[in-house]
């Protein structure tokens, strides 16, 4: 669909086509609510079900049954009557629920009575020495091209980090016939103490058996070393990975230390956020129906706080039920209690995983010449020294150092800058706060802006 | 750094900095660059350091390239198409792009 074919308003706009967005749009459309879903990627699925309708990886054992569960969600959305638009970049959302979207180089402002933000999560920044070298990528990046394009790491591949996704990707690479030289596990040993009170819930959760099986599968084929430092070394290109347990030559280093909510759009829309100390990230302040502090705007899925893909779908359904009830009180919706029950089951075991895989301070708060801001190439030392000079927050830090002002708009430095300032000034990230984000949250060209329809009154207002 | 598991899609011909590159339909520009073994797609405006795709999900903006004359496009979000002209970006942005 092209931008010009869109209606000027919809009852519900869903932003993001991962599990939360797909489930929300399907439920609302089936209840008779006019629904459009905008997704930036070429196909639906979000990150977890990336390429679900088009993947060339047809051997189902490689990506696993949890991946293929996404097929049902994609089919459901397709059959629901929701308008699903891929290749649609949402660059603005204001508190009056006007959505700025660009499709194939043409921009439109579309109004909605309700908006569900389902922009999901991103990988937590992993600021180690050399993390900007070609040859260093996130584990999620390697998983993305495996799912969507069937690309498999080739050459000497090393993984470093902590968290379930790292082990899942390792297993997928191995099943596809790939090779991993080593996994450098950065999980701090003392984390287990903090996690252990939550062990009983974890054992009863669906994660337990799957997690153990994955670990066994990977450890049978890949040497795993516990490390407390990791650096990527090379001149213009990765050559070796150096840790406190030695050096090894490498062509590809895949980094991962968990995921955090992708907050840019929700923050730019003016929704209140709060620091989550267990998950070490900011997340929106939401009510039981995932409604934010801005009326009519909900945030569902991992963007509401990390809980995983299956929980994301249930959260999307809860947000959609609330939207349908507000827009069309007589419409039939599924029983919210049973949805909540499934959500509670999916959320079981999360506390254990969060505490166990909480990255060490040294992997979140870099030192010296390590880049904190990749875009503007600002080092940790610069940030720490500027905080010592009296800089109190990330927005002031922008004025001093330009961190957060490059093309990624703080996505890969925001948490690092907040935490570095908090550490230097002996205060908390909650106190320091986050970058103030403003639209456009994705870059758009002047030509796209100029393609916005202009009314006669608007034209007369500026013409002499 | 990457190899293809299977050639599922139809061949798509691109050029990267004027040189022919064979991609597969369903590739994003970033995936095509990785599969072709192109080791970086831009150099930074600040120090001129080489960068390659890092996140492949629209977050990091390290895969910025010029596509059919339009600069600083996120290669990981743009599907390849026949005859597409991709150019790597060197240093600061050039006026007019």
């Amino acid at each position: 669909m092209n931008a010009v074919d869109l209606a000027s308003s919809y009852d519900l706009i869903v932003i993001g086509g991962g599990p939360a967005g797909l489930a929300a749009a399907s439920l609302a459309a089936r209840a008779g609510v006019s629904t459009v879903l905008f997704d930036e990627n070429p196909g639906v699925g979000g990150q977890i079900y990336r390429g679900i309708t088009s993947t060339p990886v047809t051997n189902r054992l490689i990506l696993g049954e949890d991946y293929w569960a996404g097929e049902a969600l994609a089919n459901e959305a397709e059959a629901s009557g929701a308008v699903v638009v891929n290749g649609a970049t949402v660059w603005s959302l204001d508190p009056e629920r006007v959505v700025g979207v660009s499709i194939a180089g043409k921009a439109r402002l579309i109004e909605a009575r309700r908006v569900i933000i389902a922009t999901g999560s991103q990988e937590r920044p992993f600021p180690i020495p050399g993390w900007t070298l070609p040859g260093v990528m996130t584990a999620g990046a390697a998983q993305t091209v495996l799912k969507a394009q069937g690309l498999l790491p080739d050459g000497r591949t090393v993984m470093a980090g902590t968290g379930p996704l790292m082990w899942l990707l390792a297993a997928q690479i191995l099943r596809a016939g790939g090779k991993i030289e080593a996994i450098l596990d950065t999980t701090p040993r003392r984390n287990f103490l903090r996690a252990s009170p939550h062990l009983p819930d974890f054992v009863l959760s669906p994660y337990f058996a799957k997690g153990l099986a994955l670990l066994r599968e990977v450890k049978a084929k890949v040497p795993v070393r516990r490390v407390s430092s990791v650096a990527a070394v090379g001149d213009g290109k990765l050559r070796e990975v150096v840790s406190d347990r030695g050096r090894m030559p490498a062509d590809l280093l895949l980094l991962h230390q968990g995921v955090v909510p992708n907050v840019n759009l929700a923050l730019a829309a003016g929704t209140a956020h709060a620091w989550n100390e267990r998950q070490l990230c900011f997340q929106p302040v939401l009510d039981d129906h995932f409604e934010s502090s801005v009326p009519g705007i909900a945030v569902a899925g991992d963007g509401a706080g990390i809980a995983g893909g299956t929980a994301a779908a249930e959260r999307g359904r809860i947000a959609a039920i609330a939207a349908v009830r507000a827009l069309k009180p007589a419409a039939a919706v599924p029983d919210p209690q049973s949805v909540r029950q499934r959500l509670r089951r999916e959320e079981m075991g999360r506390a254990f995983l969060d505490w166990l895989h909480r990255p060490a301070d040294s992997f979140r708060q870099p030192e010296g010449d390590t880049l904190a801001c990749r875009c503007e190439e600002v080092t940790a030392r610069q940030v720490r020294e500027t905080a010592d000079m009296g800089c109190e927050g990330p927005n002031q830090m922008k004025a001093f150092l330009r961190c957060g002002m490059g093309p990624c708009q703080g996505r890969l430095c925001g948490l690092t800058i907040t935490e570095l300032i908090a550490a230097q000034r002996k205060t908390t990230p909650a106190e320091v706060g986050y970058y103030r984000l403003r639209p456009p949250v994705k870059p758009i060209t002047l030509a796209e802006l100029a393609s916005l329809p202009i009314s006669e009154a608007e034209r007369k207002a500026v013409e002499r | 750094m990457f190899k293809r598991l299977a050639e599922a899609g139809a061949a798509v011909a691109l050029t990267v900095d004027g040189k022919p590159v064979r991609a597969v339909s369903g590739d994003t520009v970033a995936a095509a660059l990785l599969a072709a073994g192109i080791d970086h797609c831009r150099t930074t405006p600040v120090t001129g350091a080489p960068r390659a795709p890092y996140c492949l999900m629209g977050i990091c903006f390290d895969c910025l390239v010029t596509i059919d004359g339009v600069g600083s496009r996120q290669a990981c979000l743009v599907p390849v198409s026949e005859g597409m002209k991709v150019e790597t970006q060197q240093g600061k942005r050039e006026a007019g792009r």
Side-chain angles (χ1 to χ4, degrees), chain A residues 149-150 152 154 374 377 442, chain B residues 1 3 5 26 44 47 58 62:
Chain A
Q149 284 88 29
L152 189 64
D154 196 17
R374 298 169 61 97
E377 297 179 79
K442 297 290 293 216
Chain B
M1 274 190 301
K3 65 179 177 200
L5 269 181
T44 62
T47 66
D62 263 331

Side-chain angles (χ1 to χ4, degrees), chain B residues 54-66:
Chain B
Y54 177 73
C55 79
L56 290 176
M57 54 176 279
I59 298 292
C60 76
F61 291 72
D62 263 331
C63 66
L64 297 180
V65 291
T66 298

